[in-house]
């Protein structure tokens, strides 16, 4: 078992909690002083920074949500002046304005540290040749892994996503030992390898570190068998820092969440009440070292459960179970967040189209595909195929531009989409998550 | 002039059977029919003996339905008969959206249902060129 920073990763719980409390208090003072939105919310709740004297007191602080980021678009939640912010990323959230995140020099260093820790935890080292097929750009995946791989001292190949045949050629020629990408892209790479007549034994791949979309144990088995590698789940979200928030160790019994930088809680997504350890619920994360964009009790919307018992690997940091799902009906498709409400608003913008729709997410081969079923009302119906096809094309174009991913629109008969009395089911996810 | 009933159908098993059964049970007789289809959906176009009733029945059965004005043209039932009519329409710059054949005949003529872009212009042209078309009530009785 190798560690990047054994002392921190295997710190006794007592010490973790002491460190967390000290850092939490600093963070709360800082946001109260420098971020008007936090001050306002704390004042409303009647909480002063001095009221936070134990980790339990975290419970007193208001939650932060994606909406807070939107309301303060673009830089309103930053706790540092812009001249101290050295990097800006934007989340894949695509409802209206994107959510924007910023990093100080120290934030970037910590992020790289966490990613180096994660890569090491999954078995990479400075001899590794890491093919990084996460997208580079505004998305935190590409650059996040990249900096960590460099910090680790590995050789990083910044292939980014796409151009799969070339990826496979480079994988063979450069002798890549570690693949980092989304799990669905890993399967797609395998599919293309088969088409090219390349077998996993023609590569030197040993492990893959996959994240940015939820994936099941079945998917892990599939990837491990097909690519003949060890597959690890990595968790992160740009609002918190990006990839590297939590990582699986070889025991593969949950993802170790870096507790020296984050505090994790589980709440009931409906009541907002904190739940006892072990209960499934929504993951809430507080950052305790972030400078540019500290997050107090950020509601991740990811459903999981926590286990703080010491892992067989010796690490003491709390383990989060592989994400079970979402606390609302958002779906993540190829790393992009899609909310049914976004589809609804697009449909309602097209004259005559009624918001009777259903999102069907499926995995075709190895890629996630989104089909949007839209009922054809009399207002838009025509006896001419051409006109209906134009309607379909218009809806497709509008949805693709709003969602940022490819969409297959299927026109369906009225009332063929099940109506519901209460909260309607807008999504059918067939990916066997 | 005639009323065609157009029905939106998803391209899946049993839909056509369902719509024709609904019409049959209401005592509606289909006199002409065509289906335009794509991989996902189809449009059923029918001429029936009672378009008003068919429209109502189908709507009640939750189909997306529309009424479309079409013309039933009498085409000589002999080789080249349709070609002659089409050439005359082409000469007059009449755009045809689609056409399909009627199941019955009128005297010695075949009947072809035309959906044209400009129905007024079509009628004018038909009169000028001596192309015969039959009226609505006559058609539904056939």
């Amino acid at each position: 078992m190798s560690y990047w920073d054994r002392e921190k990763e295997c710190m006794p719980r007592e010490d973790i909690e002491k460190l967390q409390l000290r850092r939490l208090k600093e963070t709360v003072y800082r946001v109260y002083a420098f971020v008007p939105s936090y001050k306002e919310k704390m004042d409303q709740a009647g909480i002063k920074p001095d009221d936070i004297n134990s980790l339990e007191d975290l419970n007193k602080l208001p939650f932060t949500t994606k909406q807070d980021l939107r309301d303060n678009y673009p830089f309103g939640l930053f706790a540092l002046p812009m001249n101290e912010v050295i990097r800006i990323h934007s989340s894949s959230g695509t409802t209206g304005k994107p959510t924007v995140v910023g990093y100080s020099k120290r934030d970037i260093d910590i992020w790289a540290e966490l990613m180096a820790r994660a890569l090491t935890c999954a078995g990479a080292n400075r001899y590794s040749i890491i093919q990084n097929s996460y997208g580079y750009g505004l998305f935190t995946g590409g650059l996040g892994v990249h900096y960590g791989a460099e910090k680790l001292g590995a050789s990083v190949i910044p292939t980014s996503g796409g151009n799969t045949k070339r990826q496979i050629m480079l994988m063979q020629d450069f002798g890549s030992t570690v693949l980092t990408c989304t799990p669905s892209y890993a399967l797609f790479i395998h599919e293309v390898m088969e088409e090219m007549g390349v077998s996993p034994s023609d590569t030197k791949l040993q492990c893959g570190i996959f994240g940015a979309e939820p994936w099941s144990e079945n998917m892990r088995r599939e990837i491990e068998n097909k690519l003949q590698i060890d597959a690890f789940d990595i968790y992160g979200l740009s609002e918190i820092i990006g990839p590297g928030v939590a990582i699986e160790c070889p025991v593969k019994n949950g993802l170790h969440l870096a507790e020296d930088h984050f505090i994790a809680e589980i709440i009931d997504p409906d009541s907002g009440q904190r739940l006892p350890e072990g209960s499934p619920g929504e993951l809430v994360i507080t950052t305790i070292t972030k400078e540019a964009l500290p997050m107090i009790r950020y509601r991740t919307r990811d459903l999981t459960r926590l286990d703080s018992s010491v892992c067989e690997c010796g690490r003491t940091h709390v383990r989060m179970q592989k994400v079970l799902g979402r606390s609302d009906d958002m779906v993540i498709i190829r790393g992009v967040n899609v909310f049914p409400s976004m589809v609804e608003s697009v449909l309602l913008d097209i004259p005559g189209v009624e918001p009777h729709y259903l999102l069907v997410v499926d995995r075709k081969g190895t890629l996630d595909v989104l089909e949007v079923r839209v009922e054809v009302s009399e207002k838009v119906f025509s006896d001419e195929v051409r006109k209906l096809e134009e309607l379909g094309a218009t809806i497709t174009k509008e949805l693709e531009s709003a969602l940022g991913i490819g969409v297959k629109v299927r026109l369906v008969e009225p009332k063929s989409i099940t109506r519901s009395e209460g909260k309607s089911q807008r999504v059918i996810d067939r990916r066997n998550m | 002039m005639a009323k065609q009933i157009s029905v939106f159908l998803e391209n899946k098993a049993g839909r056509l059977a369902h719509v024709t059964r609904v019409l049959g049970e209401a005592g509606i007789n289909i006199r002409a029919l065509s289906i335009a289809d794509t991989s996902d959906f189809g449009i059923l176009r029918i001429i029936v003996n009672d378009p008003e009733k068919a429209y109502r029945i189908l709507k009640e059965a939750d189909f997306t339905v529309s009424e479309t004005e079409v013309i039933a043209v009498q085409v000589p039932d002999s080789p080249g008969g349709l070609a002659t009519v089409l050439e005359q329409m082409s000469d007059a710059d009449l755009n045809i959206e689609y056409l399909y054949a009627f199941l019955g005949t009128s005297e010695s003529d075949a009947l072809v249902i035309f959906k044209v872009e400009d129905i007024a212009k079509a009628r004018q042209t038909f009169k000028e060129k001596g192309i015969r078309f039959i009226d609505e009530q006559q058609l539904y009785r056939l």
Side-chain angles (χ1 to χ4, degrees):
Chain A
M1 189 68 61
S2 45
Y3 309 90
W4 171 250
D5 188 338
R6 184 168 194 156
E7 200 184 316
K8 292 204 178 87
E9 293 173 63
C10 302
M11 191 185 274
R13 177 126 305 266
E14 210 181 285
D15 295 352
I16 293 176
E17 291 181 357
K18 252 187 243 168
L19 179 69
Q20 284 184 327
L21 180 59
R22 180 167 58 78
R23 289 180 167 176
L24 172 65
K25 288 172 79 165
E26 286 168 12
T27 302
V28 173
Y29 277 107
R30 225 152 24 82
V31 298
Y32 192 79
F34 299 122
V35 186
S37 157
Y38 278 118
K39 179 174 188 300
E40 206 174 291
K41 282 172 98 173
M42 284 173 63
D43 285 346
Q44 270 171 17
I47 305 294
K48 295 276 176 255
D50 282 338
D51 296 333
I52 306 302
N53 294 304
S54 72
L55 288 179
E56 270 308 300
D57 289 340
L58 182 59
N59 217 356
K60 297 175 181 170
L61 293 167
F63 293 116
T64 306
T65 64
K66 206 175 193 75
Q67 191 57 43
D68 291 307
L69 281 155
R70 291 204 193 101
D71 292 346
N72 291 283
Y73 177 86
F75 308 138
L77 289 183
F78 287 12
L80 286 180
M82 283 307 282
N83 63 339
E84 302 278 341
V85 173
I86 67 159
R87 175 98 65 82
I88 289 165
H89 279 285
S90 178
S91 87
S92 51
T94 43
T95 339
K97 295 280 190 191
T99 50
V100 179
V101 298
Y103 301 80
S104 69
K105 176 76 176 69
R106 186 163 163 268
D107 292 337
I108 292 288
D109 289 345
I110 287 174
W111 188 14
E113 186 77 17
L114 289 175
M115 263 316 304
R117 194 188 280 183
L119 291 165
T120 307
C121 190
N125 56 42
R126 63 197 177 90
Y127 301 102
S128 298
I129 297 176
I130 299 177
Q131 182 156 343
N132 185 20
S133 308
Y134 282 111
Y136 279 67
L138 281 172
F139 173 54
T140 49
L143 286 169
V145 171
H146 185 99
Y147 274 57
E150 285 189 349
K151 182 113 190 170
L152 177 62
S155 312
V156 53
I157 314 170
T159 46
S160 197
N163 209 340
T164 309
K165 284 187 176 164
R166 191 147 163 271
Q167 297 246 9
I168 293 165
M169 182 188 82
L170 298 182
M171 187 182 283
Q172 293 175 274
D173 295 349
F174 295 0
S176 309
T177 58
V178 177
L179 174 65
T180 52
C181 60
T182 60
S184 59
Y185 192 59
L187 276 184
F188 185 68
I189 288 177
H190 174 261
E191 201 172 74
V192 176
M193 280 170 71
E194 280 197 322
E195 281 168 22
M196 293 168 68
V198 176
S199 113
S201 56
D202 297 331
T203 75
K204 294 198 165 64
L205 275 191
Q206 292 162 0
C207 80
I209 298 165
F210 307 120
E213 61 191 16
W215 53 305
S216 62
E217 285 297 334
N218 287 342
M219 177 79 155
R220 189 210 302 277
R221 275 193 291 279
E222 183 94 354
I223 293 174
E224 290 189 333
N225 289 337
K226 285 187 160 162
L227 284 172
Q228 292 166 30
I229 57 170
D230 221 356
F232 294 85
D233 193 3
I234 186 166
Y235 178 78
L237 60 170
S238 58
E239 294 89 333
I240 296 305
I241 202 161
V245 173
I247 179 74
E248 264 178 343
C249 65
V251 179
K252 292 182 184 166
N253 182 21
L255 291 77
H256 291 283
L257 189 140
E259 284 194 282
D260 46 344
H261 298 279
F262 312 108
I263 300 175
E265 301 170 81
I266 294 291
I267 62 162
D268 177 324
D270 297 321
S271 70
Q273 289 303 304
R274 190 191 283 185
L275 298 174
E277 185 174 312
S279 317
E282 179 181 342
L283 179 66
V284 169
I285 300 179
T286 300
T287 69
I288 49 175
T289 53
K290 279 277 284 305
E291 292 183 329
L293 183 63
M295 278 286 150
I296 303 293
R297 304 192 85 198
Y298 184 74
R299 292 189 60 160
T300 66
R301 301 279 167 190
D302 289 317
L303 298 176
T304 181
R305 65 180 82 198
L306 297 177
D307 180 355
S308 65
S309 62
V310 178
C311 181
E312 284 172 48
C313 75
R315 288 178 181 84
T316 52
H317 290 193
V318 71
R319 280 166 290 155
M320 58 180 275
Q321 191 182 41
K322 235 171 173 322
V323 170
L324 312 167
R326 289 277 165 171
S327 59
D328 51 21
D329 49 8
M330 182 182 88
V331 283
I332 304 181
I333 299 155
R334 283 170 261 148
V336 174
N337 300 346
V338 175
F339 287 89
S341 55
M342 294 154 64
V343 172
E344 188 169 287
S345 74
V346 168
L347 293 180
L348 284 170
D349 275 342
I350 301 168
V353 176
E354 286 176 52
H356 299 305
Y357 63 93
L358 182 69
L359 279 63
V360 181
V361 189
D362 208 345
R363 194 158 271 153
K364 291 265 163 65
T366 58
L367 276 185
D368 291 351
V369 289
L370 172 63
E371 180 182 274
V372 177
R373 295 184 185 165
V374 184
E375 286 189 4
V376 173
S377 69
E378 287 215 23
K379 282 180 219 144
V380 294
F381 176 54
S382 163
D383 60 307
E384 289 174 50
V385 169
R386 179 173 53 86
K387 288 190 179 148
L388 283 178
E389 285 185 328
E390 280 168 8
L391 172 72
T394 303
I395 298 172
T396 306
K397 190 177 97 231
E398 296 296 326
L399 282 175
E400 288 186 343
S401 111
L403 305 180
I405 53 165
V407 174
K408 157 101 178 90
V409 169
R410 182 187 291 270
L411 299 177
V412 298
E413 290 176 27
K415 311 265 169 77
S416 64
I417 293 167
T418 315
R419 307 296 203 255
S420 142
E421 306 264 311
K423 199 171 147 46
S424 62
Q425 187 182 6
R426 288 302 191 189
V427 180
I428 293 177
D429 200 330
R430 292 179 172 159
R431 291 177 293 187
N432 305 318
M433 296 311 299
Chain B
M1 297 290 289
K3 281 200 180 67
Q4 167 192 286
I5 300 293
S6 312
V7 189
F8 180 82
L9 291 178
E10 271 180 72
N11 205 346
K12 60 184 187 192
R15 296 313 292 161
L16 189 56
H18 180 53
V19 68
T20 49
R21 173 58 62 202
V22 166
L23 290 170
E25 278 172 2
I28 293 189
N29 198 13
I30 298 171
R31 306 300 298 127
L33 146 164
S34 96
I35 294 174
D37 66 338
T38 71
S39 56
D40 288 340
F41 64 85
I43 300 167
L44 170 68
R45 300 156 180 159
I46 48 176
I47 303 290
V48 295
N49 58 347
D50 188 346
E52 268 80 16
K53 186 177 174 192
Y55 182 83
R56 200 182 67 240
I57 295 291
L58 291 172
K59 268 195 72 99
E60 278 166 12
D62 287 331
F63 284 97
T64 299
V65 200
S66 72
E67 278 188 334
T68 311
E69 294 274 90
V70 292
I71 302 184
V73 178
Q74 291 174 268
V75 175
D77 196 1
S78 56
L82 181 60
T84 306
V85 171
L86 290 173
E87 281 158 6
Q88 286 173 312
M89 291 174 75
S90 169
D91 290 345
D93 264 331
L94 264 184
N95 282 328
I96 301 164
E97 307 281 8
Y98 53 80
L99 59 88
Y100 55 96
F102 197 80
L103 301 182
T105 54
S106 168
E107 296 152 20
S108 62
D109 290 333
L111 282 173
V112 177
I113 307 293
F114 280 89
K115 164 77 189 291
V116 293
E117 213 175 44
D118 186 342
I119 202 155
K121 186 180 167 191
R123 292 176 68 168
Q124 187 59 36
T125 307
F126 288 174
K127 277 178 186 154
E128 281 166 19
K129 308 250 177 191
I131 299 172
R132 290 172 301 144
F133 54 99
I134 65 173
D135 77 47
E136 223 174 321
Q137 295 315 320
Q138 211 183 329
L139 179 70
Y140 302 151
R141 280 195 301 272
L142 283 174

